[in-house]
Amino acid sequence: MALVLRGGRVVGGTGVRRADVRISGGVIVSVGPDEAVAGDDITDVSGKFILPGGVDAHTHFDLPLGDGTRSDDDFASGTRSAIAGGTTCVIDYATQFRGESLNRGLDNWHGLADGRCFCDYSFHLAVTDWNGSVADELPGVMARGVTSFKMYMAYKGALQVDDGVLYEALRRLEDLGGLLCVHCENGDIISALSRELLRAGKTGPEHHPASRPEELEAEATGRLLVIASLAGAPVYVVHVSSGASIKKILEARSSGQTVFAETCPQYLYLDDSLYSPARADAAKYVCSPPLRDGRNHAEMWSALSKNIADVVATDHCSFNFNGRKDRHNCDFTGIPNGLPGVGSRMMLLYLGVARGLITMPQMARLASENPARIFGIHPGKGSITPGADADIVVLDPDGKSVITAETQFQNVDYTPYEGWEIPCRIESTYLRGERVFHMGRFLPGGPRGRFVRRRAAGVF
Ligand code: URP
Ligand code: ZN
Ligand code: ZN
């Protein structure tokens, strides 16, 4: 027996059309005007948007910080929250720490995630310790279905790599068809600025943004793009937060480079007034890059509406405020960096649609189709077409949601969007044809998430 979602507004990357979606064996078998046959199980979804399940290409679940602590959402709570928010696949940043092989880093992340995920999942692999034998592991790691990697130009003394390493990695990945994702901020200067601020007695969380101005993001972005050009390699810039960085990306593209750009809801909605010294909870908003101002928000929305930015991911990296983020008033550099958000991304994108800033097809591309294409899982993920996995979100534009810490599924004591009213409801989420979340409740069973092996990252 097949399942038919009847009469919804099916959203694809190029348009919206009224159609039935027929599902069998976990995959979409047909999409068209009248697909049901006798015996099918029919669900009427007229008036609702039928979107491809979200693909969140940037999460940090269960991330060790190096001091024996970890980020507060693990793979179970993080992916449960993803499902409730309409995301059916996450690509988390597995990390090779100093002294580890790449395969060890990847094994560690499988150990954290396998059997615990409510949605499908894959990994990028962050490389923090580059050498010849690590480079020689790349083909084997790619054969394990991990075809994108990450390097950090910030977090000096911890995750940061130097420019020569970036160049060498880009050269090797270009040969292999892998894609490098890069955190672009100038870590050396951030470190110097931070010391200067602390010496001047500027120790509270309100000084975090002054230690990481947008110039240092744009400088690192521009530098990366010069390095990538010399290496002849495509590159993916994670969590772009400023118009100045977008400008660098456009310049590189205009000289023929392949550059993908990702941003996150926090760089579209949350402004740097949240770091005001008048706020007792400024530490909640400490993330890197830091929140920017309204001018940057407008420039980032413009980059989305003009199809300049390719992906909206979350960079979900959650730490409780009480007892964790609130403990570092004497040294803001000790505040664990990151914001929660995996559960609210789709709603926040829809808010952008409701405000006329992007269209529904753009939402489908930014949330699902583009990350699936870039990271080598399209059309199995990110599309509502015959043969694709039946990962589907039913979004009710007549419903209402309020984002609150009290009702969220994320395992963290706050949400940066507390009390925000969203003019839609994620009514149901289907994972490979099974309805796993409906009307605010999880269906019994699960976890059901499977590891998704990815092809060499797609360049489109
Ligand atoms: O503040 C952030 N973004 N924390 C997560 C790690 C990273 O830089 O992506
Ligand atoms: Zn980062
Ligand atoms: Zn991140």
Side-chain angles (χ1 to χ4, degrees):
M1 184 177 66
L3 166 69
V4 175
L5 300 179
R6 172 173 274 173
R9 292 190 262 171
V10 177
V11 187
T14 53
V16 182
R17 63 175 170 146
R18 202 182 135 85
D20 293 352
V21 180
R22 190 162 186 268
I23 297 163
S24 181
V27 297
I28 295 167
V29 289
S30 61
V31 183
D34 194 8
E35 297 305 308
V37 301
D40 281 351
D41 174 7
I42 296 169
T43 301
D44 180 13
V45 288
S46 46
K48 318 275 165 69
F49 286 115
I50 307 301
L51 282 145
V55 176
D56 189 341
H58 190 158
T59 64
H60 300 277
F61 298 142
D62 222 343
L63 179 72
L65 291 195
D67 60 356
T69 66
R70 319 183 72 90
S71 59
D72 280 318
D73 272 296
D74 63 10
F75 277 88
S77 65
T79 56
R80 201 159 176 270
S81 173
I83 285 286
T87 286
T88 49
C89 185
V90 297
I91 313 180
D92 195 82
Y93 279 100
T95 301
Q96 170 240 19
F97 291 106
R98 296 247 162 102
E100 287 178 353
S101 68
L102 294 187
N103 280 293
R104 164 54 68 93
L106 196 49
D107 290 344
N108 288 344
W109 251 257
H110 274 293
L112 298 172
D114 293 352
R116 297 194 180 92
C117 290
F118 285 77
C119 70
D120 286 351
Y121 63 101
S122 188
F123 304 128
H124 315 275
L125 184 52
V127 181
T128 69
D129 193 358
W130 175 259
N131 56 49
S133 72
V134 161
D136 290 342
E137 283 186 276
L138 289 172
V141 168
M142 291 181 65
R144 294 177 68 181
V146 172
T147 54
S148 49
F149 299 83
K150 182 180 193 184
M151 286 184 167
Y152 293 86
M153 298 171 82
Y155 305 126
K156 194 172 166 64
L159 305 170
Q160 185 173 331
V161 300
D162 67 30
D163 294 350
V165 165
L166 282 170
Y167 176 78
E168 285 179 19
L170 283 162
R171 290 288 295 157
R172 287 299 280 259
L173 289 172
E174 166 57 12
D175 287 345
L176 297 169
L179 181 63
L180 191 66
C181 306
V182 184
H183 174 132
C184 295
E185 285 186 296
N186 183 323
D188 288 5
I189 310 290
I190 288 167
S191 185
L193 282 177
S194 302
R195 285 195 303 272
E196 199 174 304
L197 287 161
L198 293 175
R199 271 198 311 270
K202 297 180 174 174
T203 62
E206 66 274 20
H207 300 293
H208 171 72
S211 71
R212 312 183 87 103
E214 65 188 78
E215 292 88 331
L216 295 186
E217 181 189 347
E219 183 279 329
T221 306
R223 183 158 36 100
L224 168 72
L225 297 177
V226 171
I227 297 167
S229 163
L230 293 170
V235 72
Y236 179 101
V237 184
V238 300
H239 52 45
V240 178
S241 73
S242 71
S245 298
I246 289 288
K247 208 165 150 229
K248 298 282 182 192
I249 289 165
L250 282 173
E251 280 164 17
R253 283 183 184 161
S254 70
S255 57
Q257 281 182 252
T258 299
V259 186
F260 301 108
E262 169 198 282
T263 190
C264 312
Q266 54 270 33
Y267 303 121
L268 300 168
Y269 287 112
L270 302 177
D271 75 58
D272 53 3
S273 67
L274 291 164
Y275 297 121
S276 157
R279 292 185 70 102
D281 66 346
K284 277 182 186 167
Y285 305 97
V286 167
C287 59
S288 296
L291 305 179
R292 306 291 189 198
D293 59 9
R295 173 182 52 82
N296 280 300
H297 295 178
E299 285 169 350
M300 294 311 302
W301 277 114
S302 165
L304 295 180
S305 75
K306 292 179 183 158
N307 305 316
I308 295 167
D310 304 288
V311 172
V312 175
T314 59
D315 194 11
H316 179 104
C317 191
S318 58
F319 299 99
N320 283 326
F321 175 62
N322 292 296
R324 285 206 90 173
K325 279 187 167 268
D326 68 348
R327 288 298 146 103
H328 303 273
N329 282 340
C330 299
D331 180 356
F332 66 85
T333 64
I335 301 169
N337 277 213
L339 300 186
V342 70
S344 43
R345 182 183 65 128
M346 300 290 274
M347 286 190 286
L348 290 167
L349 271 170
Y350 185 76
L351 185 60
V353 174
R355 290 180 177 176
L357 297 165
I358 53 170
T359 64
M360 281 307 289
Q362 282 177 318
M363 173 174 169
R365 290 206 297 275
L366 294 163
S368 308
E369 183 180 320
N370 289 353
R373 281 183 190 276
I374 292 168
F375 292 113
I377 52 175
H378 187 268
K381 304 287 186 197
S383 76
I384 299 192
T385 51
D389 284 354
D391 293 348
I392 292 173
V393 184
V394 179
L395 183 149
D396 182 359
D398 297 320
K400 300 251 172 300
S401 309
V402 181
I403 303 176
T404 66
E406 205 189 326
T407 55
Q408 72 183 355
F409 294 98
Q410 298 169 157
N411 183 36
V412 59
D413 63 3
Y414 76 104
T415 158
Y417 307 98
E418 183 64 38
W420 285 36
E421 292 180 15
I422 309 291
C424 76
R425 179 171 195 191
I426 307 288
E427 186 175 289
S428 314
T429 306
Y430 291 79
L431 180 66
R432 284 177 274 100
E434 184 179 353
R435 189 162 70 181
V436 289
F437 182 81
H438 183 57
M439 296 296 194
R441 290 178 188 280
F442 287 88
L443 280 294
R448 304 169 181 83
R450 290 188 192 151
F451 178 66
V452 182
R453 298 170 70 87
R454 293 184 290 114
R455 303 183 301 282
V459 171
F460 69 103

